[in-house]
Amino acid sequence: QAGLTQPPSVSKGLRQTATLTCTGNNNNVGNQGTVWLQQHQGHPPKLLSYRNNKRPSGISERFSASSSGNTASLTITGLQPEDEADYYCSAWDTSLNVWAFGGGTKLTVL
Amino acid sequence: EVQLVESGGGLVQPGGSLRLSCAASGFTFRNYWMSWVRQAPGKGLEWVASIKEDGSQKYYVDSVKGRFTISKDNDKNSLFLQMNSLRADDTALYYCANVDGIVGTPSWGQGTLVTVSS
């Protein structure tokens, strides 16, 4: 079934900017809003961005989502130690009628 | 505040059954699609099933079709997952979620652990 492609790992330095990518196709990322989730070890996923790159209340402005064609991106500015986590993208696939998830990106803050 | 509280997980033998429940509050449950998403130990998130607001449409990942059934009781603000013919590879933490995030936050529950083992 549908799966979105994320790089397995990204490493950046403290206070730097990280851009995480999520690649799908015309049936999911390309025509549907992409959801971004953050998951710390031992905790449930936390919503960072949803529908047309909206940010839920309480989420830092350091997190911003965007998309171009079949690729969605999550940019995290001013990296902090607490940003070290796994990040997942997801989008509804209108052809397969499934929620497609990426395999997740482990972000390391050096 | 939105709350999603799962229950019903546990240890079950291969071939057995379990019924997961999710109690929702803090939003108008009957107006939203809801889903179950699982996470095997040390692995990523895997979508399992989704149900339309009124329960009229249901979708499943191929690996659970014919074995799992998602349902929704809008009068009791509850989501369910009936799991039959359980296999070892169904072992995971099962989350109740509004995956597209429009109900508010937190849009994911804490999860309930299902372990399939003899």
Side-chain angles (χ1 to χ4, degrees):
Chain A
Q1 289 187 288
L4 308 181
T5 301
Q6 298 183 254
S9 63
V10 169
S11 298
K12 288 288 185 179
L14 195 62
R15 293 183 294 277
Q16 288 191 330
T17 295
T19 298
L20 312 183
T21 59
C22 171
T23 302
N25 60 40
N26 290 335
N27 298 315
N28 43 59
V29 173
N31 73 359
Q32 298 289 304
T34 302
V35 169
W36 284 96
L37 303 160
Q38 177 193 59
Q39 187 178 35
H40 287 105
Q41 183 72 24
H43 291 270
K46 178 181 179 181
L47 184 68
L48 294 178
S49 177
Y50 68 110
R51 286 193 181 184
N52 296 321
N53 308 321
K54 296 183 192 298
R55 193 169 45 238
S57 62
I59 298 301
S60 170
E61 293 179 354
R62 297 189 299 106
F63 294 88
S64 63
S66 61
S67 63
S68 176
N70 294 335
T71 298
S73 300
L74 177 72
T75 299
I76 312 170
T77 59
L79 282 169
Q80 299 297 309
E82 60 265 30
D83 298 331
E84 193 162 285
D86 294 322
Y87 291 82
Y88 295 92
C89 62
S90 183
W92 180 255
D93 190 294
T94 56
S95 174
L96 300 175
N97 288 321
V98 303
W99 273 103
F101 276 84
T105 295
K106 182 175 183 61
L107 175 64
T108 300
V109 180
L110 303 171
Chain B
E1 179 181 295
V2 170
Q3 272 202 314
L4 297 168
V5 181
E6 303 93 336
S7 60
L11 175 63
V12 62
Q13 292 189 338
S17 297
L18 275 178
R19 179 176 166 91
L20 305 184
S21 300
C22 172
S25 60
F27 64 102
T28 308
F29 184 73
R30 65 178 63 250
N31 290 349
Y32 296 97
W33 284 75
M34 293 296 297
S35 300
W36 289 97
V37 179
R38 67 186 178 184
Q39 188 169 33
K43 301 296 185 182
L45 300 172
E46 180 187 34
W47 171 77
V48 174
S50 292
I51 186 167
K52 193 177 178 182
E53 299 95 330
D54 61 358
S56 61
Q57 293 180 37
K58 304 176 184 182
Y59 300 104
Y60 301 91
V61 67
D62 284 347
S63 61
V64 309
K65 283 178 182 176
R67 300 188 300 123
F68 290 11
T69 301
I70 189 172
S71 61
K72 195 172 187 271
D73 185 334
N74 286 334
D75 292 329
K76 296 183 178 178
N77 291 340
S78 294
L79 179 71
F80 304 100
L81 186 68
Q82 177 66 44
M83 304 187 297
N84 299 329
S85 303
L86 282 161
R87 311 186 307 218
D89 61 358
D90 294 318
T91 293
L93 189 58
Y94 283 73
Y95 293 105
C96 165
N98 172 254
V99 178
D100 62 1
I102 61 172
V103 300
T105 54
S107 54
W108 291 64
Q110 294 292 316
T112 186
L113 182 62
V114 172
T115 303
V116 184
S117 174
S118 55

